[in-house]
Amino acid sequence: MKRKFALILLGLSAFSLANAQKKPIDHSVYDAWKSISRPQISKSGNLIIYSVTPQEGDALGMLKNDKNQTLIQIPRGSELTLTDDEKNLISLIKAPFQDVRQAKIKKKKPDEMPKDSLLVFNLSNSSSKKFAQVKSFKTARKGNEYVAFLNETIVPKAQDTTKSKNSAKKEKPTPTLTVMNLRSGDTSNILKADTYDWSDDGKFLVYSIKGPEKDSLNESGLFIMDMANKTKKKISNGKGNYKNIQFDDATKQLSFLADKTPEKSLLKEFKLYYYTPSQDTAVILADRNSTGIPENWFVSGDGRLTFSKSGKRLFFGLAPIPRVKDTTLVEFEHAKVDIWHWQDDYLQPMQLVNLKRDQSRNYTALINLQGNRNIMPLSDETYNRISLTGDADNEWAMATSDKGYRIESQWEGGMRSDIYAISTVSGKNKLVTKSNSGYASLAPNGDYIIYFNRSNGNWYSYNIASEKTVQLNDGLQVSFVDEENDVPAAPGPYGIAGWSKDGKAIYINDRYDVWKISLDGKSKSNITNGLGRKNQMVYRIQELVKNDDPRIQYTMVDEGKPVFLSGFNKIDKNQGLYKLGKKDISKLWSGPYTYRMLSADDKINKVIYTKEDYQNSPNLYLLADFKNETKLTDINPQQADYNWGTAELVHWTTPKGYKSSGILYKPEDFDPNKKYPIIAYFYETLSDGLYTYQPPAPTPSRLNIPYFVSNGYLVFAPDIRYETGYPGKSAEEFINSGMHYLARNNNWVDSTKMGIQGQSWGGYQVAHLITRTNMYAAAWSGAPVVNMTSAYGGIRWGSGMSRQFQYENTQSRIGKPLWEARDLYIENSPLFFMDKVNTPVAIMHNDNDGAVPWYQGIEFFTALRRLNKPVWLLNYNGDDHNLIQRQNRKDIQIREAQFFDHFLKGKPAANWIKKGVKATEKGIDWGLKVD
C-alpha cells in the first residue's frame, strides 16, 4: 500500500514537473500565432480551400479534399478562388513579407515595391502555371474557361545605335491584360490595358486600352472580346476613364460610364453609355444635356449601374454639378477657415470627415430601355437612401429622408427619418410614416415596406397598394426589443431573421425565438415553438449554403427545405447547430465551444466550421452527414509548449441583490496553495465569450489576457449592468463586488495585489473606481473620459459628431443634458475627486484619438501630478483611440506587463516607470530597461 502511494506521488510529481517545464508566454511569440481566414467548401463538398495567416508574416494557402488530404500548399497564397467546375484553383501569391519590409526600409516608391504573382493550379493533372508582376485577377461568376489578370511586362523598344549604353533609360513596364484559357493553358496578351471585367457567363471580356498622351494611332478606347471566336471590337473610342462596366442578366446589353475630358480638367464629366451586339459602337444614353436630367446636374461617376432582371430598365446615378476651385488664385494669400453655422444640418467637423463621401453622393435615376428611353430621376437631395427590390422590375422602391431631423442627431445619436414608397413608373411618392426612429426594409416583391419604430418598440408593415399600415406584433405578448437595454435611449430590436421564399412573410427575432409573420399581419407563428425562451436558448436562423445570386441580398427561408438554427445557451454558454422540425428542434451538435464560419456544400452533406474555446485555437473542421467530424488544421501547435490557462464562469450577488456573472481566467499550472495577483478587465458584458479563444497578440489596447494568465496572474472579466444617471456607481456595484467575492471565497486570491485595466469606456470606469476605493494596488486606464462636463461638448473627431448624444442617450448613460443634470455630470466625473486617489495609475491617451478627446487624458494626468500622485501618461504619436500601428501595440504590451509586474509582483521598475524618458532621449532610449 505504501509502495502504491509512493508511485502515485511520483506520478503527480512527474505531472507537476511537466507543467512546470512549460514556458510562460513572452512578447516574442505574437507574430507567429496564426488564424484561419476565408475557408470555403466547394459546391460538391469534395474540396476545401482556406488560408493560414500569421499575425505578421507570410500566409499559407491550402487546398484539401474531403479526406483531409492536402492537394496543394501555396506559400503566401491569397484570394484563393475555385472555379465552379472545381477543375482549377487560382490564387494571388503575395510578395514575401520580408522583401516588402526591406523595400519600406529603403523607402522605395510604389512602382518599385515587390509585386505579387499569380498561380493557376489544374486539379485534373496537378499541373500549375505561375505569372509574375500581377496586380489583380478576375474570373467570370459562372464561367469556368478563362481567367484574366492585369500584370506588367517589359516591351523592348528598337535600340538607338547613336546613343551610348550609359545613356539608355530603363524601360518602364507596360500594363498588360493576360487572358488564360484554363482548359488548354494558352495565353494571350493585351498591351496597355487599364480596366477590365467579365460577363457573368464568361462569354465576353470587356477591357479598356489607355494609349499614350498623344494617341496618334487611336489606340485608346473600350473593347469587347467574344471569347467563342476571339474577335474583338472597339465599342467606345478615345482616351478616358472607363468604369462600372455592367452586363444585363442575359448578356445581351452592356452599359458603362466614361469620362473623356482632358486629364487635367478639374471637372470630371461622366456620360452613360449603352451597347448591344447589333450596334457598331456604344451610344450615349445620358449626359448633362439629356432631357429629364435636372438643370445643373450631370451623370455621376460614382453612381452604381444596375440592369433590372428583365433587362428592360437601367438604373444609374445623378448628382449636382460641383463648383470647382479657381486655380488662378494664389493660395498663400487667402484665408483657410471653417465656418460653423448653427443652422447647418451637420456640424462642420462632421462635414469635413464625410467630405469625400458627400462629394461622391449621387441620386438614383431610371431609364426605360424599351420605348423612347426617357430619363426619370427617382431621388434627389431630399432622400438619403433609396432601395430597389433585387429584381428591380417592380413598380415600387423605398426611400428614406432624414431632412429636418439632422441637427437633433447631435444629442439623440440616432437619426429619425420619413419613409416613402416611390413609383418607378410615375415618379410619385407615398408617405409611409414620418419621424420614424427605427429602420425600414422593402419587401422582396416590392409590395410592402416593413419598418421598426424604436419609440414604441413595434414592427409594422405598410401595404403600398392599399396604403394600409398594420402592426405585425399586435397581440403578441413577447417583447421584440432588447430586454436587457440599460442605456437611456429606447431599446433596439433583435432584428429581421429573413424572408419567406415567396416574399409574403417575414421572420423576426425576439430575445430567444424566431417568429414568422405574414406581411398582412394575419398569420403569426413562433417557428421555434417558444423553446428558446423556455430553455433560455437563443435560436437564430443559420444559412449554411451561401446564396451566390447577387440579386438576393437577404436570408431567404425555404421551409420546403431543411431549416437550420444556431443555438446559444445563455446559462452555460454552450453553442451548437440545430435543425428545425414541424413541432420540435433537433440538436445536430452542441458543446462548450464557439463555432464560426459555418458553410456547407450544395446538398448540405458536409459542413465546415471553425471550433474554439479558451484553451483550443480556432481550427477548421469538416463534418460529414452531421456525424463524422474531421479536424483539418492544427494551426498553433506551439501553444503546447507554453503555460496556457483555463476559463470558468463565476456567479455572485452584488450588494444591491443583482445576480451577476463573469469569467475567471487561471494559469494552466494553477496551484490552489499559492496566492495570485489578480487583474480585473471589463467592458460592459463579456461572459458570453466564455468559450472564445484569445490568442496572445499585441492588442489595440485591451488587456492581453493570455499573456498575463500565462505569467502567473488571475484575470477576471465581470459583467456590468447600469443604472441610468449612475454609471460610476454601477461600475462599483459590479466590479468591486465581484473582486471582493473572489477574494473572500478563495485563499489563492491575493487581495493586496489587485489591479484593474480598461480601455475607453472601461478606461473611464478605471478612473472612477480609483477615486472611490483604495482596494487596487495598480490601475491602467486607456483613453478615458475623466471630466464629463468638458467632454459633453466635445467632438468625436473620427466621425465629426458631437459627444452630447453619448451622455444623454447611449453609453455614458447620464440621460439628460448637462444643464439639466449638473450634479450627475460632476458626480460621474473622476476629475472632481482626484484628491481621493491613492492608486498608481498609467494612462494611455493618444494625440490622434478620434473618439475621446486626448485632453481628457491630459486633465487626468495633470490633476494627479498637481496632487503629487504616481501617474504616467503614454501618448503614441499620431495613433488613434485604439492603437492601429502594430509597433505601438507591441510596445504597450511590454510596458503594461512591466507596470503590473512592478506593482502587483514587486519586480524592479523599468526606467520609464522609475524616471520617465526625456524628450532629448526620445527615439534613443525607450526606457524599457531596468537599471
Side-chain angles (χ1 to χ4, degrees):
M1 197 66 181
K2 289 183 178 178
R3 182 175 176 180
K4 186 175 181 181
F5 184 66
L7 286 173
I8 292 173
L9 285 177
L10 181 63
L12 289 173
S13 299
F15 177 77
S16 298
L17 182 63
N19 272 339
Q21 289 173 342
K22 287 194 173 185
K23 301 177 288 187
I25 291 169
D26 61 44
H27 302 296
S28 69
V29 309
Y30 304 138
D31 292 351
W33 227 268
K34 300 177 181 69
S35 61
I36 300 287
S37 59
R38 297 187 67 184
Q40 300 173 54
I41 187 168
S42 65
K43 292 184 176 182
S44 70
N46 296 329
L47 299 171
I48 301 103
I49 56 176
Y50 59 92
S51 293
V52 179
T53 308
Q55 290 182 27
E56 187 169 283
D58 296 318
L60 178 67
M62 296 289 295
L63 170 67
K64 284 189 173 185
N65 63 20
D66 59 348
K67 305 297 188 295
N68 198 21
Q69 296 170 322
T70 299
L71 302 182
I72 186 173
Q73 294 185 358
I74 309 173
R76 308 191 309 280
S78 173
E79 299 181 32
L80 275 66
T81 301
L82 193 65
T83 55
D84 266 5
D85 60 7
E86 302 182 17
K87 292 182 178 179
N88 288 277
L89 176 69
I90 305 164
S91 172
L92 274 183
I93 299 179
K94 304 298 288 185
F97 174 82
Q98 286 300 332
D99 290 357
V100 175
R101 179 175 179 271
Q102 288 300 318
K104 289 179 179 178
I105 291 172
K106 295 176 182 178
K107 298 182 179 180
K108 296 277 189 180
K109 296 178 181 178
D111 59 349
E112 297 175 327
M113 295 294 287
K115 302 295 192 298
D116 298 339
S117 55
L118 186 76
L119 175 75
V120 179
F121 178 72
N122 186 307
L123 277 73
S124 302
N125 56 23
S126 296
S127 64
S128 61
K129 286 192 174 185
K130 191 175 179 181
F131 304 89
Q133 308 288 309
V134 172
K135 291 184 176 181
S136 65
F137 76 92
K138 292 180 181 179
T139 58
R141 188 172 70 88
K142 296 179 182 177
N144 295 300
E145 197 169 349
Y146 296 95
V147 61
F149 53 92
L150 200 60
N151 59 347
E152 294 179 341
T153 56
I154 300 294
V155 181
K157 293 182 179 179
Q159 291 187 352
D160 187 346
T161 56
T162 63
K163 293 184 179 180
S164 66
K165 291 183 179 180
N166 293 332
S167 64
K169 290 184 179 180
K170 185 178 179 180
E171 294 286 358
K172 287 187 176 182
T174 300
T176 303
L177 181 63
T178 300
V179 183
M180 179 182 177
N181 186 312
L182 295 172
R183 294 174 183 171
S184 67
D186 295 338
T187 60
S188 58
N189 293 332
I190 302 168
L191 299 179
K192 302 177 185 177
D194 191 17
T195 58
Y196 66 105
D197 217 332
W198 289 101
S199 62
D200 261 9
D201 56 15
K203 292 181 179 179
F204 296 95
L205 175 68
V206 181
Y207 59 91
S208 61
I209 297 293
K210 191 174 184 179
E213 189 169 346
K214 295 181 179 179
D215 192 5
S216 58
L217 298 178
N218 195 25
E219 295 177 277
S220 299
L222 189 72
F223 297 78
I224 187 168
M225 179 181 287
D226 186 331
M227 302 308 296
N229 52 30
K230 305 299 185 296
T231 57
K232 66 177 182 180
K233 178 181 180 182
K234 181 185 274 191
I235 60 173
S236 188
N237 188 52
K239 192 173 182 180
N241 181 7
Y242 295 90
K243 62 189 294 189
N244 212 339
I245 301 163
Q246 294 291 327
F247 286 90
D248 72 339
D249 288 24
T251 321
K252 293 181 178 179
Q253 302 174 97
L254 173 69
S255 187
F256 58 92
L257 299 172
D259 164 43
K260 299 182 183 181
T261 57
E263 285 190 22
K264 294 183 180 180
S265 173
L266 293 178
L267 181 64
K268 300 300 179 183
E269 187 168 348
F270 282 87
K271 297 178 181 180
L272 176 64
Y273 288 80
Y274 174 75
Y275 171 79
T276 65
S278 62
Q279 298 172 204
D280 291 331
T281 186
V283 296
I284 297 173
L285 278 185
D287 63 16
R288 67 189 298 177
N289 298 314
S290 297
T291 302
I293 293 184
E295 187 177 357
N296 296 322
W297 283 51
F298 65 174
V299 175
S300 170
D302 298 295
R304 179 185 175 192
L305 302 187
T306 304
F307 281 99
S308 67
K309 188 173 183 177
S310 67
K312 296 178 180 179
R313 297 167 153 195
L314 177 62
F315 297 86
F316 65 105
L318 297 175
I321 299 173
R323 298 177 65 180
V324 295
K325 193 173 183 178
D326 185 349
T327 56
T328 64
L329 297 177
V330 181
E331 191 167 333
F332 65 80
E333 293 181 345
H334 290 82
K336 293 183 179 180
V337 57
D338 298 330
I339 309 296
W340 298 38
H341 193 279
W342 67 283
Q343 289 179 315
D344 281 349
D345 280 348
Y346 302 107
L347 286 171
Q348 187 73 197
M350 197 172 179
Q351 295 179 47
L352 294 171
V353 166
N354 295 320
L355 183 60
K356 288 186 177 179
R357 184 199 69 185
D358 291 341
Q359 288 173 335
S360 62
R361 188 182 295 278
N362 59 91
Y363 305 90
T364 304
L366 162 68
I367 293 180
N368 284 299
L369 296 171
Q370 297 182 342
N372 55 16
R373 297 181 180 176
N374 287 340
I375 296 170
M376 180 190 297
L378 295 179
S379 65
D380 56 25
E381 292 169 299
T382 302
Y383 305 109
N384 56 296
R385 180 169 72 99
I386 187 165
S387 302
L388 306 170
T389 61
D391 290 355
D393 278 314
N394 308 87
E395 176 180 357
W396 294 98
M398 183 192 76
T400 60
S401 173
D402 57 17
K403 195 170 185 179
Y405 308 114
R406 294 166 184 165
I407 292 177
E408 61 202 47
S409 69
Q410 175 177 318
W411 54 89
E412 288 189 354
M415 190 81 72
R416 291 185 287 136
S417 295
D418 299 334
I419 304 170
Y420 296 88
I422 295 183
S423 172
T424 60
V425 175
S426 66
K428 294 181 179 179
N429 66 49
K430 295 182 179 184
L431 178 65
V432 177
T433 186
K434 286 188 69 67
S435 189
N436 189 62
S437 58
Y439 61 84
S441 295
L442 180 66
N445 296 336
D447 49 355
Y448 283 85
I449 288 174
I450 307 300
Y451 64 94
F452 172 77
N453 187 319
R454 192 165 186 157
S455 299
N456 60 26
N458 292 319
W459 284 97
Y460 296 88
S461 73
Y462 174 83
N463 184 311
I464 300 174
S466 68
E467 302 181 13
K468 182 180 179 181
T469 300
V470 173
Q471 182 184 326
L472 292 177
N473 59 312
D474 185 35
L476 300 179
Q477 300 306 308
V478 66
S479 172
F480 287 87
V481 297
D482 184 1
E483 296 177 16
E484 299 175 291
N485 180 62
D486 62 0
V487 299
Y494 290 103
I496 295 174
W499 301 82
S500 63
K501 184 182 178 181
D502 61 10
K504 295 181 179 180
I506 188 170
Y507 295 82
I508 302 176
N509 296 322
D510 72 19
R511 183 178 180 182
Y512 296 104
D513 293 295
V514 183
W515 295 75
K516 180 183 180 181
I517 305 176
S518 62
L519 300 187
D520 60 11
K522 294 179 180 179
S523 173
K524 303 177 177 71
S525 63
N526 185 324
I527 68 167
T528 49
N529 297 305
L531 296 173
R533 188 167 295 272
K534 179 180 178 180
N535 300 310
Q536 293 191 50
M537 180 79 75
V538 178
Y539 287 120
R540 295 293 181 256
I541 291 174
Q542 177 73 54
E543 201 172 19
L544 291 180
V545 179
K546 308 303 178 187
N547 196 317
D548 61 357
D549 185 344
R551 292 197 178 276
I552 299 177
Q553 299 291 322
Y554 53 87
T555 298
M556 185 176 70
V557 183
D558 183 355
E559 293 190 38
K561 297 179 180 179
V563 176
F564 296 92
L565 305 166
S566 64
F568 180 78
N569 190 306
K570 292 293 286 186
I571 299 172
D572 60 19
K573 313 301 180 184
N574 284 4
Q575 186 181 342
L577 185 71
Y578 297 79
K579 187 176 180 180
L580 181 66
K582 290 185 178 179
K583 294 183 179 180
D584 60 0
I585 297 171
S586 57
K587 180 173 67 177
L588 299 174
W589 75 69
S590 180
Y593 301 101
T594 295
Y595 298 91
R596 305 183 198 272
M597 303 185 188
L598 278 73
S599 62
D601 66 318
D602 277 358
K603 294 182 179 179
I604 317 184
N605 290 329
K606 298 164 189 172
V607 183
I608 61 170
Y609 48 85
T610 60
K611 183 172 72 171
E612 66 187 89
D613 60 18
Y614 179 73
Q615 293 173 293
N616 293 284
S617 180
N619 278 293
L620 189 63
Y621 290 80
L622 171 69
L623 187 71
D625 299 320
F626 296 105
K627 294 177 182 177
N628 304 311
E629 184 181 70
T630 302
K631 186 177 181 180
L632 300 177
T633 65
D634 184 16
I635 59 174
N636 290 308
Q638 76 278 14
Q639 180 179 310
D641 299 331
Y642 293 95
N643 182 37
W644 198 247
T646 61
E648 62 190 71
L649 208 56
V650 174
H651 303 283
W652 77 99
T653 302
T654 73
K656 290 185 177 180
Y658 301 122
K659 302 292 184 183
S660 192
S661 303
I663 305 172
L664 178 63
Y665 300 92
K666 296 177 183 175
E668 182 180 341
D669 62 356
F670 175 77
D671 182 349
N673 297 311
K674 290 183 178 180
K675 277 195 174 291
Y676 291 87
I678 184 170
I679 302 173
Y681 167 73
F682 35 82
Y683 195 95
E684 306 221 350
T685 58
L686 299 171
S687 65
D688 282 355
L690 175 65
Y691 296 118
T692 299
Y693 184 78
Q694 301 196 32
T699 75
S701 45
R702 302 183 308 274
L703 188 73
N704 189 343
I705 291 175
Y707 172 86
F708 282 97
V709 172
S710 180
N711 282 271
Y713 287 86
L714 302 174
V715 174
F716 181 52
D719 287 349
I720 309 166
R721 298 292 177 184
Y722 296 90
E723 181 183 352
T724 297
Y726 301 95
K729 285 183 177 179
S730 299
E732 297 174 54
E733 177 76 14
F734 287 86
I735 299 168
N736 292 352
S737 68
M739 292 289 270
H740 279 307
Y741 170 82
L742 289 174
R744 283 196 307 267
N745 292 279
N746 303 288
N747 291 330
W748 32 264
V749 174
D750 189 342
S751 61
T752 68
K753 299 299 180 184
M754 290 182 166
I756 46 176
Q757 196 269 8
Q759 165 69 15
S760 189
W761 180 238
Y764 156 72
Q765 291 166 107
V766 167
H768 175 88
L769 290 175
I770 61 176
T771 67
R772 297 300 199 267
T773 180
N774 293 325
M775 65 187 284
Y776 300 111
W780 188 284
S781 176
V785 164
V786 293
N787 184 357
M788 289 192 179
T789 65
S790 60
Y792 171 80
I795 296 292
R796 296 177 65 96
W797 294 107
S799 64
M801 294 180 68
S802 165
R803 294 180 55 81
Q804 291 177 352
F805 76 91
Q806 183 165 334
Y807 298 93
E808 295 186 36
N809 282 297
T810 63
Q811 191 174 57
S812 297
R813 296 173 167 92
I814 301 300
K816 297 178 180 179
L818 176 62
W819 40 90
E820 292 181 14
R822 187 180 301 108
D823 292 344
L824 287 178
Y825 278 84
I826 292 174
E827 177 185 331
N828 288 284
S829 295
L831 184 69
F832 295 97
F833 308 95
M834 287 289 142
D835 57 321
K836 307 298 183 185
V837 174
N838 291 303
T839 304
V841 56
I843 308 161
M844 182 208 78
H845 216 147
N846 308 316
D847 51 21
N848 197 36
D849 191 319
V852 176
W854 87 294
Y855 292 100
Q856 291 288 314
I858 295 173
E859 289 188 54
F860 195 179
F861 176 83
T862 55
L864 290 177
R865 184 175 187 265
R866 165 69 176 80
L867 292 162
N868 199 30
K869 309 279 187 177
V871 60
W872 298 260
L873 174 61
L874 305 178
N875 167 28
Y876 288 94
N877 304 158
D879 217 328
D880 211 330
H881 180 66
N882 295 300
L883 293 170
I884 301 298
Q885 300 174 42
R886 189 170 175 84
Q887 67 269 29
N888 293 339
R889 293 182 178 188
K890 287 183 174 181
D891 183 85
I892 202 172
Q893 309 308 308
I894 298 170
R895 297 187 192 278
E896 203 164 81
Q898 290 177 334
F899 180 79
F900 284 119
D901 279 354
H902 175 61
F903 288 105
L904 300 187
K905 285 188 172 181
K907 290 187 178 182
N911 288 342
W912 72 272
I913 298 173
K914 187 160 51 177
K915 57 184 180 181
V917 177
K918 300 290 188 290
T920 53
E921 297 176 348
K922 182 178 177 180
I924 301 170
D925 182 358
W926 280 264
L928 297 173
K929 293 181 180 179
V930 178
D931 287 343

